[in-house]
Amino acid sequence: MESDLRHRKHKNVNKIKKNLILKIKQNDKECGTNDESTLNIKSDEASEIDFQKRDEGDGESVPDQTLENVSIEPKVFTKNVAQKMHFRINLEIDVIAMFLFVAAVVTRFYKLEEPRNIVFDELHYGKYVSLYMKRTFYFDPHPPFGKQLIAGVAFLAGFDGHFKFDRIGSAYKDTVPLFALRLVPAFFGSLIIPTSYFLMLQLNCKQWVAALAAFLLLCDNALLTQSRFILMESMLLELALFGLLCIIRFRKLQDQPFCLRWWFWLISGSISLTLALCVKYVGFFSCCLGLAVIFRSFWKMLSNHNLSDASLVINALARCTVLILIPLAVYFGVFYVHLAILYKAGPHDSVMTSAFQASLEGGLASITKGQPLEIGHGSQITLRHTHGRACWLHSHNHVYPIRYADKRGSSHQQQVTCYSFKDVNNWWIIKRPNKNNLVVSYPVDSINHGDIIQIVHGITSRALNSHDVAAPVSPQNQEVSCYIDYNVSMPAQNLWKVDIINREQAGNVWHTIQSQVRLVHVNSSQALKFTGRQLPDWGFNQHEVVTDRVTEQDDTVWNVEEHRYTKSEDEKERERELVNAEMIPLHETSLSFWSKFIELQYKMLVSHQENVQNHMYSSDPWEWPMMTRGIAYWVSSDDNVSKILYTSCC
């Protein structure tokens, strides 16, 4: 009996204690403090209970106590209490991650300047960095962010860009800050190891599994090699891994939408994955993976009946806004910096259109700035293939062979080709069919959209012509030539119709550089076309030009690049004019950022398609698992020892 009473007593006392504590905690939240010294607890019933005395036991039952009469009043904060409040920063250090990072730094930076020779693709990326130092435009089919990072560090290190990256194995001069040039890839290569460790943890792997995965990457020889030279792979991998890590962290916060961490991880992931794309376009696949993770997390939210339709719509709009605006801003920003820095003409600007080249300082701009704008009767011009490969309509004294290798016959007329270099044989003269005097008189007899013209080769004085004869390399098309009168039953068919395809922007008058034209053969209604195919040795391996019945295609678009008016009727004098056809610049030609950006994107896409071909260093997918094919990154000129990386990235 006594033990039962004691048990009931303890039970009621504990109940009172528990209720008091809950009441105090609730009041803490309302008052904004959890300091017990700031609370004054008053209770008529509780104050009468002497817990220690009741523990001794007097045999009486303890009545159930309630908190109806309990009042808890917060004290006013005093100066001393306020002084006790302060900010706290909790710093957690993952020892394993720190060890992995230090080990990665040691292995990536140890003797970073060895070998002090150009290794593998340092030949190309080093040239790009040098051109950044000189503000000279270059063309690369991949985005420029990785090169910009290396160029920025090289600039801070005092690199002037005068070193010539001429061939693999060449020794660097002492004036080249090689450590700075290789610093960025080595740093990003070091970050890959701890990033992969944290990524494995976020994928709910055990810590030892994550550490093992990171350790395997730490010891991977291919990754180590690519991190020690002026290459893009380490930057690409680190930005892609960190972006995916951010997206996974974001996914785990879908129950806490719009909190600060929710926004931080979503924006960070978008920026990082976009920057991976801005290093190399293969980063696009990492972007797709990140988008798939975000889409899947939202898809799972749709089955949550506790979420209203409005909250789901707002959540979707927030995600879409970040995933559209942030990547676009980053991508445009990278190219804006690229085009703003590289404003001088260089060896690569011939890949771009005439308008793009004319906007660069020097080079073509120094030739085209002072030339006449309107094309007219008697204009001396060079016709450039506008899209794709840069080449100019060209002719020379040589004729097509009587028979081709496949026994087909030709017209045996003067060859017309597309030549990839500037040459005096690229000059043509525009002529009205009913006029013979080629000297330009004022006002200029301008050529308009829809006009019928003849195009006379400047050096040989033979007119551009086409007959119903199969082209040499593309027999489904019609041959283009310069007409030679052999006194046979093959009259000249040398009339061409001018079709200005961008006349809404350039106007109906044929203009230098600005107007994009199709030259349609009057007799056959076929357009002058660049096929991209090379002629055999008899055509000096220049590119084939034909006419094609499918007129509306990029390869039938041409534009006038260089232009001057004919001043003399004498043929020899005209030839001297054509040979010395450089103009005196009078005013600049400007092109907006968006025009340059769109053209550069198009050229990069076309270049990617043209470069998709096998080469002597390529490997097939079935060779990758066993790594049976290697690449010689560098061969020592002293002991002829090859440094070979076996990799599947070919």
Side-chain angles (χ1 to χ4, degrees):
M1 184 68 178
E2 182 178 354
S3 61
D4 291 340
L5 292 175
R6 183 178 295 275
H7 177 71
R8 289 178 59 195
K9 174 190 68 175
H10 279 289
K11 183 177 180 181
N12 288 329
V13 170
N14 290 335
K15 184 176 180 181
I16 293 174
K17 289 181 178 180
K18 183 177 180 181
N19 289 336
L20 284 173
I21 292 173
L22 291 175
K23 191 77 173 181
I24 292 171
K25 289 183 177 180
Q26 182 179 359
N27 192 73
D28 286 344
K29 294 180 180 180
E30 296 175 356
C31 299
T33 179
N34 57 1
D35 194 337
E36 294 181 0
S37 64
T38 64
L39 300 177
N40 182 25
I41 305 174
K42 296 181 179 180
S43 174
D44 295 337
E45 290 82 7
S47 61
E48 296 176 359
I49 300 175
D50 185 350
F51 296 115
Q52 184 176 2
K53 184 176 180 180
R54 299 298 291 171
D55 282 341
E56 297 175 356
D58 56 4
E60 296 184 8
S61 62
V62 180
D64 292 340
Q65 301 293 331
T66 64
L67 296 178
E68 295 177 356
N69 298 323
V70 177
S71 62
I72 303 177
E73 299 178 357
K75 284 186 177 181
V76 179
F77 281 100
T78 63
K79 184 176 181 180
N80 293 333
V81 174
Q83 289 177 348
K84 292 181 180 180
M85 299 183 63
H86 54 274
F87 292 103
R88 293 182 180 180
I89 298 177
N90 295 325
L91 180 62
E92 296 182 2
I93 298 178
D94 192 316
V95 178
I96 296 178
M98 185 61 66
F99 169 78
L100 290 170
F101 178 67
V102 172
V105 169
V106 171
T107 54
R108 270 68 182 167
F109 282 84
Y110 177 70
K111 293 185 177 180
L112 187 61
E113 292 185 316
E114 293 185 8
R116 198 171 174 83
N117 302 85
I118 298 175
V119 177
F120 198 54
D121 277 350
E122 287 188 338
L123 176 70
H124 303 295
Y125 297 125
K127 285 181 181 178
Y128 299 150
V129 173
S130 296
L131 292 173
Y132 268 119
M133 299 300 104
K134 300 175 183 177
R135 308 294 190 269
T136 301
F137 177 79
Y138 72 85
F139 177 80
D140 182 41
H142 286 289
F145 180 66
K147 280 85 74 177
Q148 289 174 348
L149 289 179
I150 298 175
V153 175
F155 175 77
L156 295 176
F159 182 50
D160 56 12
H162 292 302
F163 177 77
K164 293 182 179 180
F165 292 80
D166 50 0
R167 62 182 179 85
I168 296 175
S170 295
Y172 286 106
K173 295 181 179 179
D174 294 336
T175 56
V176 177
L178 185 56
F179 185 88
L181 290 172
R182 293 176 176 173
L183 172 65
V184 174
F187 176 71
F188 276 87
S190 302
L191 290 177
I192 289 175
I193 310 306
T195 302
S196 61
Y197 167 74
F198 287 119
L199 181 60
M200 295 295 289
L201 290 179
Q202 289 300 316
L203 293 174
N204 298 324
C205 294
K206 293 183 179 180
Q207 191 174 38
W208 71 268
V209 175
L212 177 61
F215 181 75
L216 292 176
L217 288 178
L218 175 68
C219 299
D220 184 82
N221 191 48
L223 185 59
L224 173 64
T225 303
Q226 290 180 329
S227 301
R228 290 178 55 86
F229 302 111
I230 310 174
L231 304 174
M232 300 293 110
E233 281 71 20
S234 61
M235 289 177 275
L236 169 67
L237 291 173
E238 166 56 22
L239 290 169
L241 288 174
F242 182 74
L244 294 175
L245 174 63
C246 294
I247 295 301
I248 293 175
R249 294 290 298 268
F250 162 78
R251 184 193 64 177
K252 293 187 176 182
L253 294 171
Q254 63 179 353
D255 295 332
Q256 307 173 43
F258 311 121
C259 67
L260 183 60
R261 290 189 300 160
W262 189 89
W263 286 107
F264 174 79
W265 291 118
L266 178 59
I267 294 175
S268 298
S270 301
I271 293 175
S272 185
L273 289 175
T274 306
L275 290 178
L277 176 69
C278 291
V279 173
K280 275 192 171 183
Y281 277 131
V282 71
F284 171 76
F285 298 104
S286 298
C287 295
C288 291
L289 179 58
L291 290 174
V293 172
I294 294 174
F295 176 79
R296 186 173 182 273
S297 67
F298 182 77
W299 181 263
K300 294 175 68 176
M301 290 176 59
L302 298 178
S303 61
N304 189 347
H305 299 293
N306 295 325
L307 298 176
S308 64
D309 293 342
S311 63
L312 289 173
V313 170
I314 294 174
N315 194 300
L317 289 176
R319 295 181 185 216
C320 292
T321 301
V322 171
L323 295 176
I324 293 175
L325 295 183
I326 296 296
L328 287 178
V330 172
Y331 192 76
F332 291 151
V334 168
F335 277 92
Y336 183 85
V337 172
H338 177 69
L339 294 173
I341 294 175
L342 307 181
Y343 61 87
K344 295 181 180 180
H348 294 176
D349 59 326
S350 61
V351 178
M352 312 306 293
T353 63
S354 303
F356 192 104
Q357 294 180 61
S359 67
L360 299 174
E361 181 182 298
L364 178 65
S366 66
I367 299 175
T368 60
K369 286 177 184 175
Q371 63 189 10
L373 180 62
E374 293 185 358
I375 309 298
H377 170 76
S379 288
Q380 300 173 2
I381 65 171
T382 60
L383 275 171
R384 186 183 192 274
H385 177 236
T386 302
H387 302 297
R389 178 180 291 274
C391 65
W392 292 263
L393 190 66
H394 177 94
S395 186
H396 39 241
N397 273 318
H398 300 274
V399 297
Y400 291 109
I402 297 177
R403 290 193 179 276
Y404 299 125
D406 58 1
K407 307 303 181 183
R408 289 185 297 112
S410 76
S411 65
H412 201 50
Q413 298 285 327
Q414 181 173 305
Q415 296 175 14
V416 173
T417 65
C418 203
Y419 192 43
S420 299
F421 302 94
K422 296 296 184 69
D423 189 85
V424 67
N425 283 311
N426 297 347
W427 283 92
W428 301 80
I429 301 175
I430 302 300
K431 177 181 177 297
R432 295 279 190 187
N434 57 351
K435 289 186 177 182
N436 292 321
N437 185 4
L438 296 177
V439 177
V440 176
S441 59
Y442 293 90
V444 177
D445 183 7
S446 300
I447 304 298
N448 299 307
H449 170 73
D451 285 356
I452 306 299
I453 62 170
Q454 291 176 322
I455 305 174
V456 180
H457 188 239
I459 298 299
T460 63
S461 298
R462 290 170 179 158
L464 189 68
N465 182 81
S466 182
H467 282 113
D468 187 14
V469 177
V473 183
S474 305
Q476 71 275 15
N477 299 124
Q478 193 167 292
E479 179 192 271
V480 174
S481 62
C482 281
Y483 182 71
I484 302 175
D485 189 0
Y486 289 120
N487 293 320
V488 295
S489 58
M490 186 180 284
Q493 297 180 0
N494 54 17
L495 298 180
W496 301 84
K497 179 181 177 181
V498 177
D499 180 14
I500 303 176
I501 63 174
N502 65 334
R503 54 187 178 277
E504 293 183 358
Q505 295 81 28
N508 285 324
V509 178
W510 191 1
H511 287 157
T512 305
I513 295 180
Q514 299 175 4
S515 297
Q516 297 179 2
V517 302
R518 286 193 177 97
L519 298 171
V520 181
H521 189 235
V522 172
N523 297 82
S524 62
S525 299
Q526 299 186 27
L528 188 71
K529 176 186 175 182
F530 163 79
T531 66
R533 298 183 176 182
Q534 282 188 304
L535 297 172
D537 291 340
W538 55 258
F540 306 97
N541 300 115
Q542 297 175 14
H543 290 90
E544 181 188 41
V545 173
V546 300
T547 59
D548 195 331
R549 62 177 59 89
V550 181
T551 59
E552 295 187 3
Q553 50 181 309
D554 287 344
D555 285 329
T556 61
V557 179
W558 304 79
N559 68 272
V560 172
E561 184 171 89
E562 298 171 74
H563 176 213
R564 63 182 296 157
Y565 290 146
T566 301
K567 299 178 181 178
S568 174
E569 186 63 27
D570 182 70
E571 186 174 331
K572 293 295 183 182
E573 182 64 26
R574 282 206 312 267
E575 184 175 333
R576 282 192 292 271
E577 289 179 2
L578 295 174
V579 172
N580 302 299
E582 186 166 343
M583 310 298 294
I584 300 174
L586 297 179
H587 55 84
E588 294 184 358
T589 301
S590 61
L591 203 64
S592 68
F593 162 73
W594 294 110
S595 299
K596 288 184 176 181
F597 173 79
I598 293 172
E599 179 180 334
L600 185 57
Q601 294 300 299
Y602 177 81
K603 294 291 184 180
M604 293 166 73
L605 178 62
V606 171
S607 175
H608 260 303
Q609 293 176 345
E610 291 179 350
N611 291 333
V612 178
Q613 54 186 345
N614 291 328
H615 55 84
M616 61 183 298
Y617 301 110
S618 63
S619 60
D620 296 311
W622 52 84
E623 296 177 296
W624 298 348
M626 301 304 296
M627 295 185 292
T628 57
R629 188 173 181 83
I631 299 177
Y633 264 35
W634 170 69
V635 178
S636 173
S637 58
D638 298 329
D639 54 11
N640 202 33
V641 176
S642 298
K643 306 294 183 182
I644 299 179
L645 168 66
Y646 286 94
T647 176
S648 61
C649 300
C650 298

